[in-house]
Amino acid sequence: VIAVVGTGAMGAGIAQVAAAAGHPVKLLDARPDAAARAVAGIRAQFAKMAEKGKLTAAAAQAAGDRLIAVEHLADLADAALVVEAIVESLEAKQKLYADLEAIVGAGCLFGTNTSSISVTAIGAALKHPERLAGLHFFNPAPLMALVEIVSGLATDPAVADTLFATANAWGKTAVHARSTPGFIVNRVARPYYAE
């Protein structure tokens, strides 16, 4: 089970990728009805793909059926991986993962989709920061191939390797990165844009 917390453009895109790859995906958002709207939107995307011949109708239906909108963090207790795509706030991300630590199993991995916050800093608030790594998709997640797997100082290398393999299994091109400002792409892109 994959859980995605935050169902804006990035969260919904990541949920679409995971569902298309065959995982049951639980979506959670603090905004009322946002998760349900995201599920409806992703199912519509699968239906469009079927109309264009990119998926069979049966595959589109099956992928859509794997999406589940939930309303409470406790509903994520059975997740093997929680991907967070909430607001870019260190405090909000730290609180979310600290709350999740009391809910999910010891083997659950945490993947933050942050593009700018230190993975080491997010993990500093956790009892088990070794299970946290960056899982940085680019927008739109279903179309963009690259995923940065970002290791903080405490990240267990086996966790980073598992997320790397997962992203590849989802049809993405994964790369390892350290938790430095901007990771790889944004670190290179900012001076490029300024120039």
Side-chain angles (χ1 to χ4, degrees):
V1 174
I2 308 297
V4 177
V5 182
T7 61
M10 288 308 303
I14 294 165
Q16 179 178 331
V17 170
H23 295 275
V25 181
K26 293 184 174 182
L27 293 88
L28 175 68
D29 198 293
R31 299 166 297 161
D33 299 321
R37 285 194 306 274
V39 166
I42 298 166
R43 286 178 176 160
Q45 287 299 317
F46 285 139
K48 282 183 189 174
M49 292 169 74
E51 287 172 15
K52 294 179 179 179
K54 295 180 179 179
L55 281 177
T56 65
Q61 181 68 45
D65 288 346
R66 288 191 280 270
L67 298 162
I68 307 154
V70 299
E71 296 183 8
H72 307 285
L73 273 184
D75 297 324
L76 308 182
D78 60 345
L81 168 63
V82 179
V83 182
E84 161 274 310
I86 64 171
V87 63
E88 283 289 275
S89 158
L90 175 61
E91 293 75 19
K93 292 176 189 296
Q94 287 178 327
K95 181 176 184 330
L96 172 65
Y97 282 123
D99 290 346
L100 281 166
E101 277 193 308
I103 294 168
V104 300
C108 179
L109 304 185
F110 294 158
T112 175
N113 189 57
T114 185
S115 59
S116 61
I117 299 175
S118 163
V119 173
T120 300
I122 296 170
L126 302 182
K127 291 178 184 152
H128 298 285
E130 66 276 5
R131 68 161 116 182
L132 171 72
L135 188 62
H136 183 217
F137 287 76
F138 293 84
N139 193 22
L143 300 179
M144 299 295 281
L146 186 66
V147 176
E148 294 175 323
I149 310 302
V150 185
S151 292
L153 288 177
T155 302
D156 183 334
V159 169
D161 288 343
T162 298
L163 294 180
F164 184 94
T166 299
N168 282 332
W170 291 357
K172 299 301 179 184
T173 301
V175 295
H176 284 289
R178 287 180 299 146
S179 186
T180 54
F183 313 140
I184 299 171
V185 173
N186 286 332
R187 187 174 185 131
V188 171
R190 295 300 178 256
Y192 173 79
Y193 295 152
E195 180 67 23

